[in-house]
Amino acid sequence: VGSGRGVDFKMQNIHAGAYDPRLPAGIMMPPAGGFSAGAACRSAAVVEPSTRTQQPIVTGTGVIGIKFNGGVMLAADTLGSYGSLARYLSVPRLKPFGKNTVVGGSGDLSDFQKVTALVDELIRYDDANDDGCHLSPSDVHSYLGRVMYNKRNKFDPLWNELVVAGYQDGEAFLGFVDLIGTMYKDDVVATGFASYIATPLLRKAGTNLSKEEAKKALEDCLRVLFYRNTKASTRIQVATITEAGIDICEPYHLSTYWGYKAFEHTEYHGHKK
């Protein structure tokens, strides 16, 4: 559109803010008083909501937890799977917060990084108050439940299942939160495929266990999970939370045994059972 009195006269018949088909696509008549930043944003084309993890790409498998006499213990492997490819072999998924809380996460690893960043910010804000009070494991569990439920209501969930473990005031805490905000507390917890494989084994082991017995029960569960889950690894970490504090061990490898008769598939080599 050029300049000149003829053009200006034609424009007088179009009210402010109206769409004029003679103008280039997406251009509107300026409102009375001129454009503002807010008006420009409102007049822009409608953009679909951001949804980054409707189809998770790099994921971690199950996290398992169990209470024992004097504390609570979590375990998870360190594999980050790129689809079905065992791409990242050293991804820790047990994150300590404060002096008495550990959060473990399965599902999309970028979303788990977002979750840990949110809790880190919460802990820093709590510490900055310097009032002698600190967030309990139950507080962190409740906070994460609200975060996950809020994201779910926006139809853009954080694609994770989380386990919150801690120890405070002489009591062990173990809780679960999923991507739609479902929350519960229990003596044994497992996420992902481990909820099907490991939960019966953990319940069979019970909670009247020593620290060593609890660790063995978790190792046995992760070993079975490795046998049955293509997204699992033998490289694991174990976190122990007691009155003395948090102890997350360095990653180590589980031993495995493949000589069981049930594992033999001779028919693959042209032989019948």
Side-chain angles (χ1 to χ4, degrees):
V1 178
S3 60
R5 294 184 58 83
V7 173
D8 292 340
F9 175 77
K10 293 178 181 178
M11 293 299 180
Q12 291 175 3
N13 296 323
I14 303 175
H15 63 81
Y19 168 72
D20 182 13
R22 294 170 295 177
L23 296 178
I27 304 299
M28 301 176 66
M29 288 294 294
F35 278 118
S36 66
C41 292
R42 288 192 295 272
S43 65
V46 176
V47 179
E48 292 296 324
S50 174
T51 55
R52 294 183 175 83
T53 53
Q54 298 298 304
Q55 294 180 330
I57 302 299
V58 181
T59 60
T61 187
V63 178
I64 57 178
I66 190 171
K67 292 181 181 180
F68 64 92
N69 293 329
V72 60
M73 195 174 291
L74 295 184
D77 65 33
T78 62
L79 178 63
S81 298
Y82 182 78
S84 295
L85 175 67
R87 177 64 179 84
Y88 304 101
L89 304 180
S90 183
V91 182
R93 294 187 289 121
L94 302 178
K95 172 75 173 176
F97 295 101
K99 299 180 180 179
N100 58 359
T101 304
V102 174
V103 176
S106 62
D108 187 83
L109 294 180
S110 60
D111 279 355
F112 183 59
Q113 290 174 335
K114 174 65 174 179
V115 167
T116 57
L118 290 172
V119 180
D120 271 330
E121 183 180 2
L122 181 71
I123 296 295
R124 286 196 301 270
Y125 181 81
D126 180 60
D127 289 343
N129 287 327
D130 196 23
D131 56 2
C133 298
H134 300 285
L135 292 174
S136 68
S138 180
D139 295 332
V140 175
H141 181 242
S142 297
Y143 171 74
L144 288 176
R146 297 305 89 207
V147 168
M148 303 299 271
Y149 185 70
N150 175 266
K151 291 290 288 181
R152 170 252 188 170
N153 285 346
K154 295 179 179 178
F155 294 92
D156 186 23
L158 293 166
W159 214 274
N160 298 114
E161 289 184 338
L162 307 171
V163 178
V164 181
Y167 194 89
Q168 188 171 21
D169 299 329
E171 292 186 4
F173 178 89
L174 186 59
F176 170 91
V177 183
D178 70 5
L179 74 166
I180 62 173
T182 304
M183 304 167 56
Y184 64 82
K185 298 179 287 184
D186 205 346
D187 293 335
V188 297
V189 164
T191 70
F193 193 56
S195 63
Y196 302 98
I197 299 296
T199 302
L201 300 176
L202 293 172
R203 288 175 176 166
K204 183 178 179 180
T207 58
N208 187 23
L209 305 172
S210 66
K211 179 179 176 180
E212 293 74 19
E213 290 170 336
K215 184 176 181 180
K216 182 180 183 303
L218 294 181
E219 289 179 344
D220 289 342
C221 289
L222 291 179
R223 186 177 292 110
V224 173
L225 190 63
F226 174 70
Y227 290 150
R228 299 298 181 185
N229 186 0
T230 59
K231 304 296 196 302
S233 167
T234 58
R235 191 173 188 271
I236 70 168
Q237 271 188 304
V238 177
T240 306
I241 308 99
T242 62
E243 191 172 5
I246 298 171
D247 177 31
I248 301 179
C249 71
E250 291 296 318
Y252 64 95
H253 285 273
L254 289 173
S255 62
T256 58
Y257 176 72
W258 295 93
Y260 297 110
K261 195 69 177 176
F263 287 175
E264 296 180 8
H265 296 285
T266 56
E267 68 272 17
Y268 294 160
H269 304 283
H271 303 289
K272 294 182 178 181
K273 285 187 177 181

PDB file of all heavy atoms in Angstrom, residues 233-263:
ATOM      1  N   SER A 233      19.236 -52.536  32.821  1.00  0.00           N
ATOM      2  CA  SER A 233      20.690 -52.719  32.796  1.00  0.00           C
ATOM      3  C   SER A 233      21.138 -53.359  34.105  1.00  0.00           C
ATOM      4  O   SER A 233      20.437 -53.281  35.122  1.00  0.00           O
ATOM      5  CB  SER A 233      21.382 -51.365  32.604  1.00  0.00           C
ATOM      6  OG  SER A 233      22.763 -51.446  32.868  1.00  0.00           O
ATOM      7  N   THR A 234      22.333 -53.967  34.082  1.00  0.00           N
ATOM      8  CA  THR A 234      22.893 -54.534  35.316  1.00  0.00           C
ATOM      9  C   THR A 234      23.694 -53.502  36.106  1.00  0.00           C
ATOM     10  O   THR A 234      24.147 -53.794  37.203  1.00  0.00           O
ATOM     11  CB  THR A 234      23.809 -55.729  34.996  1.00  0.00           C
ATOM     12  OG1 THR A 234      24.862 -55.312  34.114  1.00  0.00           O
ATOM     13  CG2 THR A 234      23.015 -56.856  34.343  1.00  0.00           C
ATOM     14  N   ARG A 235      23.888 -52.317  35.568  1.00  0.00           N
ATOM     15  CA  ARG A 235      24.634 -51.267  36.271  1.00  0.00           C
ATOM     16  C   ARG A 235      23.647 -50.473  37.116  1.00  0.00           C
ATOM     17  O   ARG A 235      22.792 -49.768  36.591  1.00  0.00           O
ATOM     18  CB  ARG A 235      25.338 -50.353  35.277  1.00  0.00           C
ATOM     19  CG  ARG A 235      26.346 -49.379  35.889  1.00  0.00           C
ATOM     20  CD  ARG A 235      27.094 -48.648  34.770  1.00  0.00           C
ATOM     21  NE  ARG A 235      28.191 -47.849  35.293  1.00  0.00           N
ATOM     22  CZ  ARG A 235      28.081 -46.576  35.687  1.00  0.00           C
ATOM     23  NH1 ARG A 235      26.901 -45.967  35.611  1.00  0.00           N
ATOM     24  NH2 ARG A 235      29.125 -45.920  36.133  1.00  0.00           N
ATOM     25  N   ILE A 236      23.769 -50.581  38.438  1.00  0.00           N
ATOM     26  CA  ILE A 236      22.752 -50.041  39.326  1.00  0.00           C
ATOM     27  C   ILE A 236      23.367 -49.123  40.385  1.00  0.00           C
ATOM     28  O   ILE A 236      24.580 -49.119  40.621  1.00  0.00           O
ATOM     29  CB  ILE A 236      21.953 -51.161  40.017  1.00  0.00           C
ATOM     30  CG1 ILE A 236      22.836 -51.896  41.042  1.00  0.00           C
ATOM     31  CG2 ILE A 236      21.388 -52.140  39.002  1.00  0.00           C
ATOM     32  CD1 ILE A 236      22.057 -52.807  41.975  1.00  0.00           C
ATOM     33  N   GLN A 237      22.477 -48.350  41.011  1.00  0.00           N
ATOM     34  CA  GLN A 237      22.808 -47.552  42.183  1.00  0.00           C
ATOM     35  C   GLN A 237      21.795 -47.840  43.280  1.00  0.00           C
ATOM     36  O   GLN A 237      20.617 -48.099  42.995  1.00  0.00           O
ATOM     37  CB  GLN A 237      22.769 -46.058  41.867  1.00  0.00           C
ATOM     38  CG  GLN A 237      24.072 -45.472  41.375  1.00  0.00           C
ATOM     39  CD  GLN A 237      24.011 -43.965  41.278  1.00  0.00           C
ATOM     40  OE1 GLN A 237      23.149 -43.418  40.610  1.00  0.00           O
ATOM     41  NE2 GLN A 237      24.941 -43.287  41.952  1.00  0.00           N
ATOM     42  N   VAL A 238      22.267 -47.777  44.519  1.00  0.00           N
ATOM     43  CA  VAL A 238      21.398 -47.981  45.682  1.00  0.00           C
ATOM     44  C   VAL A 238      21.538 -46.780  46.607  1.00  0.00           C
ATOM     45  O   VAL A 238      22.652 -46.348  46.921  1.00  0.00           O
ATOM     46  CB  VAL A 238      21.751 -49.275  46.432  1.00  0.00           C
ATOM     47  CG1 VAL A 238      20.874 -49.431  47.673  1.00  0.00           C
ATOM     48  CG2 VAL A 238      21.591 -50.491  45.519  1.00  0.00           C
ATOM     49  N   ALA A 239      20.405 -46.225  47.038  1.00  0.00           N
ATOM     50  CA  ALA A 239      20.388 -45.101  47.983  1.00  0.00           C
ATOM     51  C   ALA A 239      19.800 -45.575  49.302  1.00  0.00           C
ATOM     52  O   ALA A 239      18.730 -46.198  49.319  1.00  0.00           O
ATOM     53  CB  ALA A 239      19.573 -43.945  47.426  1.00  0.00           C
ATOM     54  N   THR A 240      20.493 -45.290  50.394  1.00  0.00           N
ATOM     55  CA  THR A 240      20.031 -45.656  51.730  1.00  0.00           C
ATOM     56  C   THR A 240      19.811 -44.384  52.542  1.00  0.00           C
ATOM     57  O   THR A 240      20.706 -43.534  52.625  1.00  0.00           O
ATOM     58  CB  THR A 240      21.065 -46.549  52.438  1.00  0.00           C
ATOM     59  OG1 THR A 240      21.366 -47.672  51.615  1.00  0.00           O
ATOM     60  CG2 THR A 240      20.534 -47.032  53.780  1.00  0.00           C
ATOM     61  N   ILE A 241      18.624 -44.260  53.121  1.00  0.00           N
ATOM     62  CA  ILE A 241      18.300 -43.078  53.922  1.00  0.00           C
ATOM     63  C   ILE A 241      17.966 -43.549  55.339  1.00  0.00           C
ATOM     64  O   ILE A 241      17.022 -44.321  55.548  1.00  0.00           O
ATOM     65  CB  ILE A 241      17.116 -42.287  53.333  1.00  0.00           C
ATOM     66  CG1 ILE A 241      17.356 -41.992  51.850  1.00  0.00           C
ATOM     67  CG2 ILE A 241      16.931 -40.989  54.102  1.00  0.00           C
ATOM     68  CD1 ILE A 241      16.663 -42.916  50.902  1.00  0.00           C
ATOM     69  N   THR A 242      18.741 -43.086  56.287  1.00  0.00           N
ATOM     70  CA  THR A 242      18.538 -43.432  57.692  1.00  0.00           C
ATOM     71  C   THR A 242      18.614 -42.154  58.526  1.00  0.00           C
ATOM     72  O   THR A 242      18.741 -41.043  57.989  1.00  0.00           O
ATOM     73  CB  THR A 242      19.599 -44.431  58.180  1.00  0.00           C
ATOM     74  OG1 THR A 242      20.899 -43.810  58.081  1.00  0.00           O
ATOM     75  CG2 THR A 242      19.600 -45.698  57.335  1.00  0.00           C
ATOM     76  N   GLU A 243      18.555 -42.331  59.837  1.00  0.00           N
ATOM     77  CA  GLU A 243      18.682 -41.172  60.730  1.00  0.00           C
ATOM     78  C   GLU A 243      20.030 -40.488  60.567  1.00  0.00           C
ATOM     79  O   GLU A 243      20.165 -39.282  60.790  1.00  0.00           O
ATOM     80  CB  GLU A 243      18.483 -41.622  62.175  1.00  0.00           C
ATOM     81  CG  GLU A 243      18.329 -40.482  63.157  1.00  0.00           C
ATOM     82  CD  GLU A 243      17.938 -40.969  64.554  1.00  0.00           C
ATOM     83  OE1 GLU A 243      17.891 -42.199  64.762  1.00  0.00           O
ATOM     84  OE2 GLU A 243      17.670 -40.105  65.416  1.00  0.00           O
ATOM     85  N   ALA A 244      21.038 -41.248  60.135  1.00  0.00           N
ATOM     86  CA  ALA A 244      22.381 -40.695  59.946  1.00  0.00           C
ATOM     87  C   ALA A 244      22.492 -39.848  58.682  1.00  0.00           C
ATOM     88  O   ALA A 244      23.450 -39.087  58.524  1.00  0.00           O
ATOM     89  CB  ALA A 244      23.410 -41.822  59.900  1.00  0.00           C
ATOM     90  N   GLY A 245      21.525 -39.961  57.768  1.00  0.00           N
ATOM     91  CA  GLY A 245      21.566 -39.171  56.544  1.00  0.00           C
ATOM     92  C   GLY A 245      21.394 -40.028  55.305  1.00  0.00           C
ATOM     93  O   GLY A 245      20.847 -41.132  55.350  1.00  0.00           O
ATOM     94  N   ILE A 246      21.888 -39.505  54.199  1.00  0.00           N
ATOM     95  CA  ILE A 246      21.723 -40.136  52.886  1.00  0.00           C
ATOM     96  C   ILE A 246      23.047 -40.733  52.437  1.00  0.00           C
ATOM     97  O   ILE A 246      24.101 -40.094  52.535  1.00  0.00           O
ATOM     98  CB  ILE A 246      21.245 -39.111  51.839  1.00  0.00           C
ATOM     99  CG1 ILE A 246      19.880 -38.546  52.224  1.00  0.00           C
ATOM    100  CG2 ILE A 246      21.196 -39.739  50.449  1.00  0.00           C
ATOM    101  CD1 ILE A 246      19.439 -37.377  51.352  1.00  0.00           C
ATOM    102  N   ASP A 247      22.978 -41.961  51.934  1.00  0.00           N
ATOM    103  CA  ASP A 247      24.158 -42.609  51.369  1.00  0.00           C
ATOM    104  C   ASP A 247      23.770 -43.206  50.020  1.00  0.00           C
ATOM    105  O   ASP A 247      22.995 -44.164  49.956  1.00  0.00           O
ATOM    106  CB  ASP A 247      24.689 -43.704  52.302  1.00  0.00           C
ATOM    107  CG  ASP A 247      25.871 -44.451  51.707  1.00  0.00           C
ATOM    108  OD1 ASP A 247      26.632 -43.830  50.944  1.00  0.00           O
ATOM    109  OD2 ASP A 247      26.025 -45.658  51.985  1.00  0.00           O
ATOM    110  N   ILE A 248      24.285 -42.610  48.941  1.00  0.00           N
ATOM    111  CA  ILE A 248      24.061 -43.139  47.597  1.00  0.00           C
ATOM    112  C   ILE A 248      25.386 -43.715  47.103  1.00  0.00           C
ATOM    113  O   ILE A 248      26.370 -42.989  46.946  1.00  0.00           O
ATOM    114  CB  ILE A 248      23.556 -42.059  46.629  1.00  0.00           C
ATOM    115  CG1 ILE A 248      22.250 -41.457  47.147  1.00  0.00           C
ATOM    116  CG2 ILE A 248      23.354 -42.635  45.230  1.00  0.00           C
ATOM    117  CD1 ILE A 248      21.674 -40.366  46.263  1.00  0.00           C
ATOM    118  N   CYS A 249      25.400 -45.015  46.890  1.00  0.00           N
ATOM    119  CA  CYS A 249      26.646 -45.681  46.538  1.00  0.00           C
ATOM    120  C   CYS A 249      27.028 -45.389  45.093  1.00  0.00           C
ATOM    121  O   CYS A 249      26.207 -44.953  44.282  1.00  0.00           O
ATOM    122  CB  CYS A 249      26.521 -47.197  46.759  1.00  0.00           C
ATOM    123  SG  CYS A 249      25.453 -48.020  45.556  1.00  0.00           S
ATOM    124  N   GLU A 250      28.272 -45.636  44.762  1.00  0.00           N
ATOM    125  CA  GLU A 250      28.729 -45.552  43.386  1.00  0.00           C
ATOM    126  C   GLU A 250      28.095 -46.686  42.574  1.00  0.00           C
ATOM    127  O   GLU A 250      27.806 -47.754  43.111  1.00  0.00           O
ATOM    128  CB  GLU A 250      30.248 -45.654  43.320  1.00  0.00           C
ATOM    129  CG  GLU A 250      30.974 -44.440  43.893  1.00  0.00           C
ATOM    130  CD  GLU A 250      30.683 -43.172  43.106  1.00  0.00           C
ATOM    131  OE1 GLU A 250      30.664 -43.240  41.863  1.00  0.00           O
ATOM    132  OE2 GLU A 250      30.458 -42.125  43.739  1.00  0.00           O
ATOM    133  N   PRO A 251      27.849 -46.462  41.283  1.00  0.00           N
ATOM    134  CA  PRO A 251      27.247 -47.528  40.471  1.00  0.00           C
ATOM    135  C   PRO A 251      28.121 -48.782  40.445  1.00  0.00           C
ATOM    136  O   PRO A 251      29.351 -48.700  40.446  1.00  0.00           O
ATOM    137  CB  PRO A 251      27.169 -46.895  39.076  1.00  0.00           C
ATOM    138  CG  PRO A 251      27.164 -45.426  39.317  1.00  0.00           C
ATOM    139  CD  PRO A 251      28.020 -45.217  40.525  1.00  0.00           C
ATOM    140  N   TYR A 252      27.483 -49.923  40.423  1.00  0.00           N
ATOM    141  CA  TYR A 252      28.193 -51.202  40.325  1.00  0.00           C
ATOM    142  C   TYR A 252      27.341 -52.175  39.516  1.00  0.00           C
ATOM    143  O   TYR A 252      26.162 -51.932  39.282  1.00  0.00           O
ATOM    144  CB  TYR A 252      28.508 -51.769  41.707  1.00  0.00           C
ATOM    145  CG  TYR A 252      27.304 -52.119  42.544  1.00  0.00           C
ATOM    146  CD1 TYR A 252      26.789 -53.421  42.569  1.00  0.00           C
ATOM    147  CD2 TYR A 252      26.675 -51.157  43.333  1.00  0.00           C
ATOM    148  CE1 TYR A 252      25.682 -53.747  43.344  1.00  0.00           C
ATOM    149  CE2 TYR A 252      25.570 -51.478  44.108  1.00  0.00           C
ATOM    150  CZ  TYR A 252      25.086 -52.767  44.113  1.00  0.00           C
ATOM    151  OH  TYR A 252      23.992 -53.085  44.872  1.00  0.00           O
ATOM    152  N   HIS A 253      27.943 -53.258  39.076  1.00  0.00           N
ATOM    153  CA  HIS A 253      27.259 -54.210  38.214  1.00  0.00           C
ATOM    154  C   HIS A 253      26.735 -55.404  39.011  1.00  0.00           C
ATOM    155  O   HIS A 253      27.425 -55.938  39.883  1.00  0.00           O
ATOM    156  CB  HIS A 253      28.194 -54.712  37.112  1.00  0.00           C
ATOM    157  CG  HIS A 253      28.422 -53.709  36.022  1.00  0.00           C
ATOM    158  ND1 HIS A 253      27.587 -53.581  34.927  1.00  0.00           N
ATOM    159  CD2 HIS A 253      29.393 -52.768  35.862  1.00  0.00           C
ATOM    160  CE1 HIS A 253      28.021 -52.626  34.140  1.00  0.00           C
ATOM    161  NE2 HIS A 253      29.118 -52.111  34.678  1.00  0.00           N
ATOM    162  N   LEU A 254      25.528 -55.809  38.681  1.00  0.00           N
ATOM    163  CA  LEU A 254      24.955 -57.023  39.248  1.00  0.00           C
ATOM    164  C   LEU A 254      25.519 -58.255  38.547  1.00  0.00           C
ATOM    165  O   LEU A 254      25.804 -58.219  37.349  1.00  0.00           O
ATOM    166  CB  LEU A 254      23.436 -57.030  39.076  1.00  0.00           C
ATOM    167  CG  LEU A 254      22.599 -56.057  39.903  1.00  0.00           C
ATOM    168  CD1 LEU A 254      21.153 -56.119  39.436  1.00  0.00           C
ATOM    169  CD2 LEU A 254      22.693 -56.386  41.386  1.00  0.00           C
ATOM    170  N   SER A 255      25.651 -59.328  39.301  1.00  0.00           N
ATOM    171  CA  SER A 255      25.995 -60.605  38.681  1.00  0.00           C
ATOM    172  C   SER A 255      24.735 -61.229  38.085  1.00  0.00           C
ATOM    173  O   SER A 255      23.624 -61.014  38.582  1.00  0.00           O
ATOM    174  CB  SER A 255      26.600 -61.547  39.722  1.00  0.00           C
ATOM    175  OG  SER A 255      25.651 -61.812  40.754  1.00  0.00           O
ATOM    176  N   THR A 256      24.890 -61.965  36.999  1.00  0.00           N
ATOM    177  CA  THR A 256      23.750 -62.631  36.350  1.00  0.00           C
ATOM    178  C   THR A 256      24.099 -64.077  36.050  1.00  0.00           C
ATOM    179  O   THR A 256      25.284 -64.449  35.991  1.00  0.00           O
ATOM    180  CB  THR A 256      23.354 -61.923  35.043  1.00  0.00           C
ATOM    181  OG1 THR A 256      24.477 -61.908  34.155  1.00  0.00           O
ATOM    182  CG2 THR A 256      22.900 -60.498  35.307  1.00  0.00           C
ATOM    183  N   TYR A 257      23.087 -64.882  35.858  1.00  0.00           N
ATOM    184  CA  TYR A 257      23.282 -66.300  35.526  1.00  0.00           C
ATOM    185  C   TYR A 257      22.257 -66.683  34.475  1.00  0.00           C
ATOM    186  O   TYR A 257      21.052 -66.494  34.664  1.00  0.00           O
ATOM    187  CB  TYR A 257      23.101 -67.168  36.780  1.00  0.00           C
ATOM    188  CG  TYR A 257      23.184 -68.652  36.502  1.00  0.00           C
ATOM    189  CD1 TYR A 257      24.404 -69.242  36.190  1.00  0.00           C
ATOM    190  CD2 TYR A 257      22.044 -69.458  36.532  1.00  0.00           C
ATOM    191  CE1 TYR A 257      24.497 -70.597  35.935  1.00  0.00           C
ATOM    192  CE2 TYR A 257      22.123 -70.815  36.278  1.00  0.00           C
ATOM    193  CZ  TYR A 257      23.351 -71.374  35.976  1.00  0.00           C
ATOM    194  OH  TYR A 257      23.425 -72.721  35.710  1.00  0.00           O
ATOM    195  N   TRP A 258      22.757 -67.200  33.340  1.00  0.00           N
ATOM    196  CA  TRP A 258      21.885 -67.517  32.212  1.00  0.00           C
ATOM    197  C   TRP A 258      21.800 -69.024  31.938  1.00  0.00           C
ATOM    198  O   TRP A 258      21.334 -69.438  30.880  1.00  0.00           O
ATOM    199  CB  TRP A 258      22.391 -66.810  30.948  1.00  0.00           C
ATOM    200  CG  TRP A 258      22.302 -65.330  31.071  1.00  0.00           C
ATOM    201  CD1 TRP A 258      23.275 -64.487  31.494  1.00  0.00           C
ATOM    202  CD2 TRP A 258      21.161 -64.523  30.801  1.00  0.00           C
ATOM    203  NE1 TRP A 258      22.830 -63.194  31.502  1.00  0.00           N
ATOM    204  CE2 TRP A 258      21.521 -63.187  31.073  1.00  0.00           C
ATOM    205  CE3 TRP A 258      19.860 -64.788  30.344  1.00  0.00           C
ATOM    206  CZ2 TRP A 258      20.639 -62.125  30.914  1.00  0.00           C
ATOM    207  CZ3 TRP A 258      18.992 -63.734  30.177  1.00  0.00           C
ATOM    208  CH2 TRP A 258      19.380 -62.410  30.463  1.00  0.00           C
ATOM    209  N   GLY A 259      22.246 -69.821  32.902  1.00  0.00           N
ATOM    210  CA  GLY A 259      22.270 -71.262  32.683  1.00  0.00           C
ATOM    211  C   GLY A 259      21.005 -71.997  33.068  1.00  0.00           C
ATOM    212  O   GLY A 259      20.976 -73.231  33.054  1.00  0.00           O
ATOM    213  N   TYR A 260      19.945 -71.229  33.434  1.00  0.00           N
ATOM    214  CA  TYR A 260      18.697 -71.897  33.809  1.00  0.00           C
ATOM    215  C   TYR A 260      18.106 -72.640  32.612  1.00  0.00           C
ATOM    216  O   TYR A 260      18.173 -72.184  31.468  1.00  0.00           O
ATOM    217  CB  TYR A 260      17.681 -70.871  34.324  1.00  0.00           C
ATOM    218  CG  TYR A 260      18.114 -70.160  35.581  1.00  0.00           C
ATOM    219  CD1 TYR A 260      18.461 -68.806  35.550  1.00  0.00           C
ATOM    220  CD2 TYR A 260      18.171 -70.833  36.792  1.00  0.00           C
ATOM    221  CE1 TYR A 260      18.851 -68.144  36.698  1.00  0.00           C
ATOM    222  CE2 TYR A 260      18.570 -70.174  37.946  1.00  0.00           C
ATOM    223  CZ  TYR A 260      18.910 -68.831  37.891  1.00  0.00           C
ATOM    224  OH  TYR A 260      19.307 -68.191  39.037  1.00  0.00           O
ATOM    225  N   LYS A 261      17.528 -73.811  32.891  1.00  0.00           N
ATOM    226  CA  LYS A 261      16.950 -74.625  31.824  1.00  0.00           C
ATOM    227  C   LYS A 261      15.851 -73.858  31.078  1.00  0.00           C
ATOM    228  O   LYS A 261      15.705 -73.978  29.859  1.00  0.00           O
ATOM    229  CB  LYS A 261      16.375 -75.902  32.430  1.00  0.00           C
ATOM    230  CG  LYS A 261      16.065 -76.990  31.426  1.00  0.00           C
ATOM    231  CD  LYS A 261      17.344 -77.569  30.843  1.00  0.00           C
ATOM    232  CE  LYS A 261      17.025 -78.726  29.895  1.00  0.00           C
ATOM    233  NZ  LYS A 261      18.252 -79.246  29.243  1.00  0.00           N
ATOM    234  N   ALA A 262      15.095 -73.049  31.818  1.00  0.00           N
ATOM    235  CA  ALA A 262      13.991 -72.308  31.200  1.00  0.00           C
ATOM    236  C   ALA A 262      14.495 -71.243  30.229  1.00  0.00           C
ATOM    237  O   ALA A 262      13.731 -70.754  29.397  1.00  0.00           O
ATOM    238  CB  ALA A 262      13.123 -71.662  32.269  1.00  0.00           C
ATOM    239  N   PHE A 263      15.775 -70.873  30.335  1.00  0.00           N
ATOM    240  CA  PHE A 263      16.328 -69.860  29.449  1.00  0.00           C
ATOM    241  C   PHE A 263      16.834 -70.444  28.131  1.00  0.00           C
ATOM    242  O   PHE A 263      17.239 -69.701  27.248  1.00  0.00           O
ATOM    243  CB  PHE A 263      17.479 -69.117  30.133  1.00  0.00           C
ATOM    244  CG  PHE A 263      17.035 -68.154  31.205  1.00  0.00           C
ATOM    245  CD1 PHE A 263      17.972 -67.487  31.985  1.00  0.00           C
ATOM    246  CD2 PHE A 263      15.698 -67.907  31.426  1.00  0.00           C
ATOM    247  CE1 PHE A 263      17.573 -66.608  32.977  1.00  0.00           C
ATOM    248  CE2 PHE A 263      15.282 -67.029  32.409  1.00  0.00           C
ATOM    249  CZ  PHE A 263      16.218 -66.372  33.177  1.00  0.00           C
TER     250      PHE A 263
END
